[in-house]
Amino acid sequence: MDVRVERTRRALQAALFALAREHPLEDVTVADIVTRAGVNRSSFYQHYSDKETLLADALDAAAEQAGADLPTVAEPLAGPPQALFDYLVHLDENAEVYRRELGPHGSAVVMARLRGRLDSIVQEGITRSGTPAFEGVPLDIVGAGITGLALGVIEAWLARDPRPPVSTAADWVWRMLLGPGGSWQQPDAD
């Protein structure tokens, strides 16, 4: 990608992310974004069609910059993977933005982006693990179920006042992902 294009996109993302930490998205205008980014209005529309898509990109970039990649789970682990903990730290540090954008009046684009990311990771993890735990259930249904569960736990955690520590949230998400059996069943070795 052209360096100037990337620089403009990053400036727009950083500007909206900072503004979203200060105000609800509906209160932020394109004029606010371009002023904060130091670019002109036409630059915004050359790169983004709307604020929600820009915010989704900004949240992805902020998570990436924080080193908070969502985990790829190939097999059951004894506890939450570090990547899950790191991602929840990122959510905790930016709780107001995520609470607004994932809540009932939040951004459909942000929620769809996060849901898609989680669903992809879940489906890949289930496929790579070879677990028979979901035998007979289509992979997209398993992915949707686990993704919905994880998002539900994250939303409920972010909504709590006071919000429990990240370690508690990681434990909650992990325990819900494992389900009542405590772990995915591994295929029998023949």
Side-chain angles (χ1 to χ4, degrees), residues 132 134-138:
F134 303 106
E135 194 172 298
V137 181

Side-chain angles (χ1 to χ4, degrees), residues 1 43 53 64 69 180 186:
M1 182 178 287
S43 292
T53 303
E64 183 181 304
D69 293 327
Q186 290 297 304

Side-chain angles (χ1 to χ4, degrees), residues 101-103 107-116 151 155:
E101 299 311 319
L102 298 179
S107 167
V109 173
V110 170
M111 180 61 94
R113 178 83 59 90
L114 183 56
R115 184 177 296 281
L151 284 172
E155 285 179 67

Side-chain angles (χ1 to χ4, degrees), residues 8 13 21 30 32 48 65 74 78 80 82 90-91 111 137 139 144 146 156 167 170-172 188 190:
T8 300
Q13 291 167 7
R21 293 176 80 168
V30 171
D32 296 332
Y48 291 99
Q65 186 176 28
Q82 185 64 42
H90 166 73
L91 293 178
M111 180 61 94
V137 181
L139 185 58
I146 293 173
S167 58
D171 180 59
W172 289 346
D188 295 328
D190 292 328

Side-chain angles (χ1 to χ4, degrees), residues 8-26:
T8 300
R9 283 179 178 252
R10 292 290 181 197
L12 289 166
Q13 291 167 7
L16 182 53
F17 186 65
L19 288 164
R21 293 176 80 168
E22 299 165 11
H23 310 282
L25 185 61
E26 62 269 8

Side-chain angles (χ1 to χ4, degrees), residues 36-129:
R36 178 79 60 107
V39 300
N40 61 43
R41 191 175 186 89
S42 66
S43 292
F44 175 89
Y45 290 108
Q46 286 174 346
H47 299 282
Y48 291 99
S49 59
D50 56 62
K51 296 183 301 187
E52 288 187 88
T53 303
L54 172 56
L55 182 58
D57 282 357
L59 292 173
D60 284 348
E64 183 181 304
Q65 186 176 28
D69 293 327
L70 290 173
T72 299
V73 179
E75 61 184 49
L77 304 171
Q82 185 64 42
L84 174 61
F85 186 83
D86 293 344
Y87 189 70
L88 292 172
V89 166
H90 166 73
L91 293 178
D92 189 50
E93 289 172 349
N94 300 287
E96 279 306 310
V97 174
Y98 282 100
R99 189 178 4 245
R100 281 193 304 263
E101 299 311 319
L102 298 179
H105 304 292
S107 167
V109 173
V110 170
M111 180 61 94
R113 178 83 59 90
L114 183 56
R115 184 177 296 281
R117 259 178 105 190
L118 283 169
D119 187 62
S120 175
I121 290 164
V122 166
Q123 287 191 38
E124 180 183 336
I126 294 296
T127 300
R128 289 189 354 190
S129 75

